Amino acid sequence: MKLRLLTGVSALVAVAGLSACSSSGSGDGGSTGGGRTAIDVWLMRDSVSEAFQKDFEKNFEAAHRDIDVRIQIQEWEGIGEKVTAALAGNDAPDVIETGNTQVARFAQSGGLLDLSDKVGELGGDAWIEGLAEPGAWEGKQYGIPYYAANRVVVYRKDLFANAGVDVTRIKTRDQWIAATKKLDKGSQQGIYLPGQDWYAYAGFVWDEGGDLATESDGTWKGALDTPEALRAMAFYKELQALGKGPKDSDEAQPPQAEVMAKGQTAQIISTPGGANVVAQINPELKDELGFFPIPGKTAGTPGAVFTGGSDLVIPVVSQHHDAAFTFVKELTGDTWQKKLAVAMSYVPNKTTLAGAVAADPGASAMAVGAAVGHATPNTPGWAAVEARNPIKDYLTAVLTGGDPEREAAEASDAITDAMKSGS
């Protein structure tokens, strides 16, 4: 999932008529001059910097002189349809970067190579769950975790100091609420939380032990009407009231970074990249912005977050499975994951590599949350839910006075119907 500022992913269309095969029986079927195998790789815009890409290609080809890597940068807009077409044809690239929540849709089509027998070799026991889980489908691993990003709290150091709030003492949701109440005074917002920030709400649902949808005997249904999700809604409502965020729009309308840049907002929930936007708009705030993980219910556990980011997949129709896997193994291996994390302020794909971003305040705050991160329900039908997004309507309905239980039941039914239509 594109997560430079955590925007959504387009709904995808299922691919039919392809059958999966095991990576163990694949080989490389083509080569360039000099006996080198050429592989085409699609990486997404902002996935890597130009400098990182050049450094990786140079070192990779020096270590693997029989492979010629040809990386093509793709735009996020329309990428679902482009990948769908590629998987259905005979000229797909050999490696594709895909949003972690997209993998199930592509895997269901039969267009992705099963890499289950490679998990141990790739150190899969340490993968971030929010990347690894959606990269699997029906017990098989198709997506290899590439990088992660998630929301943190971006805060104003000066406003916290003026209110006498010590950020180091905010370890629980109750402490967060108490601090935010002190910050919410006069024209100053304790927190700017739009009413339809459903990813933030999802984190509170997971904190309570619930989920957005549940599966039983192969059937998925919405779960916003469970006691856990209703408790999450109550907390969301309490937090949202400590600011002037609109109840009927999300963090992009208006852009919350623009709101914070105006100078009267103590906190927003965003990826660290949001702080960069704030500072670009209002350079005077550059040194006043800090980060901390979204607090959890208890001091020992940070708040659950949606883990966005990307996985790498190999199309079945690729003629160069071995070379493609070599590329994936290198880019997702410890050496290049550490370099990628530093270069791009991403969270590495393994919990054991969190120390790589220790010197980056925003990325290190992300890494704390990523360790307990979640993905949206792992079903191809979820894309239809995001397209219609009854969760946003539900949040607005409750925040504007609707009965939580009645509105939750209606939203759960809408989620159920959407998943049925999208599967």
Side-chain angles (χ1 to χ4, degrees), residues 274-361:
N276 296 334
V277 178
V278 173
Q280 288 170 6
I281 298 171
N282 187 349
E284 293 182 1
L285 297 181
K286 180 179 179 181
D287 296 328
E288 298 295 349
L289 300 174
F291 313 90
F292 61 89
I294 295 175
K297 295 188 70 175
T298 61
T301 305
V305 292
F306 166 73
T307 303
S310 290
D311 285 9
L312 298 179
V313 299
I314 299 175
V316 169
V317 296
S318 165
Q319 298 299 306
H320 314 301
H321 290 166
D322 290 345
F325 176 73
T326 299
F327 177 92
V328 170
K329 183 178 181 180
E330 287 280 3
L331 189 53
T332 63
D334 290 5
T335 297
W336 287 100
Q337 279 292 298
K338 292 177 182 178
K339 292 181 179 181
L340 181 68
V342 172
M344 303 301 295
S345 294
Y346 290 149
V347 177
N349 62 2
K350 298 184 181 73
T351 57
T352 52
L353 300 178
V357 293
D360 185 325

Side-chain angles (χ1 to χ4, degrees), residues 80-93:
E81 293 78 9
K82 188 170 184 178
V83 172
T84 295
L87 295 179
N90 294 318
D91 59 349

Side-chain angles (χ1 to χ4, degrees), residues 109-187:
S109 75
L112 303 183
L113 194 68
D114 176 11
L115 297 171
S116 301
D117 60 343
K118 304 295 187 182
V119 172
E121 183 178 347
L122 296 172
D125 56 342
W127 282 340
I128 290 175
E129 185 177 353
L131 293 179
E133 181 183 348
W137 172 246
E138 295 187 336
K140 297 179 180 179
Q141 194 74 37
Y142 296 96
I144 304 305
Y146 177 24
Y147 67 85
N150 50 263
R151 284 171 166 77
V152 299
V153 180
V154 180
Y155 76 99
R156 285 275 302 273
K157 299 176 184 177
D158 53 341
L159 298 184
F160 270 55
N162 292 341
V165 175
D166 182 357
V167 69
T168 65
R169 300 180 67 86
I170 302 176
K171 301 297 184 182
T172 68
R173 292 197 329 200
D174 287 344
Q175 292 167 346
W176 189 23
I177 288 289
T180 304
K181 286 180 177 178
K182 294 179 67 175
L183 292 158
D184 189 46
K185 55 185 179 181
S187 61

Side-chain angles (χ1 to χ4, degrees), residues 78 131 233 241 267 308 326 370 379 390 401 412:
L131 293 179
M233 183 67 241
Q267 306 171 83
T326 299
T379 168
S412 294

Side-chain angles (χ1 to χ4, degrees), residues 49-94:
S49 65
E50 183 177 356
F52 179 91
Q53 178 182 331
K54 289 181 178 179
D55 188 33
F56 176 80
E57 286 188 67
K58 177 182 177 181
N59 283 273
F60 179 88
E61 292 184 350
H64 306 280
R65 297 186 180 278
D66 58 333
I67 302 176
D68 176 23
V69 175
R70 302 183 297 204
I71 295 176
Q72 303 169 36
I73 301 299
Q74 304 294 316
E75 302 296 337
W76 284 100
E77 185 69 27
I79 190 60
E81 293 78 9
K82 188 170 184 178
V83 172
T84 295
L87 295 179
N90 294 318
D91 59 349
D94 302 286

Side-chain angles (χ1 to χ4, degrees), residues 169-213:
R169 300 180 67 86
I170 302 176
K171 301 297 184 182
T172 68
R173 292 197 329 200
D174 287 344
Q175 292 167 346
W176 189 23
I177 288 289
T180 304
K181 286 180 177 178
K182 294 179 67 175
L183 292 158
D184 189 46
K185 55 185 179 181
S187 61
Q188 179 176 297
Q189 300 189 65
I191 187 169
Y192 178 81
L193 179 59
Q196 295 186 346
D197 190 345
W198 71 279
Y199 282 122
Y201 163 71
F204 304 148
V205 174
W206 293 322
D207 278 342
E208 296 290 349
D211 209 335
L212 304 176

Side-chain angles (χ1 to χ4, degrees), residues 352-395:
T352 52
L353 300 178
V357 293
D360 185 325
S364 59
M366 280 200 299
V368 173
V372 291
H374 292 250
T376 50
N378 191 17
T379 168
W382 189 255
V385 177
E386 292 198 22
R388 303 179 188 180
N389 219 324
I391 305 174
K392 287 187 173 184
D393 295 336
Y394 162 63
L395 294 172

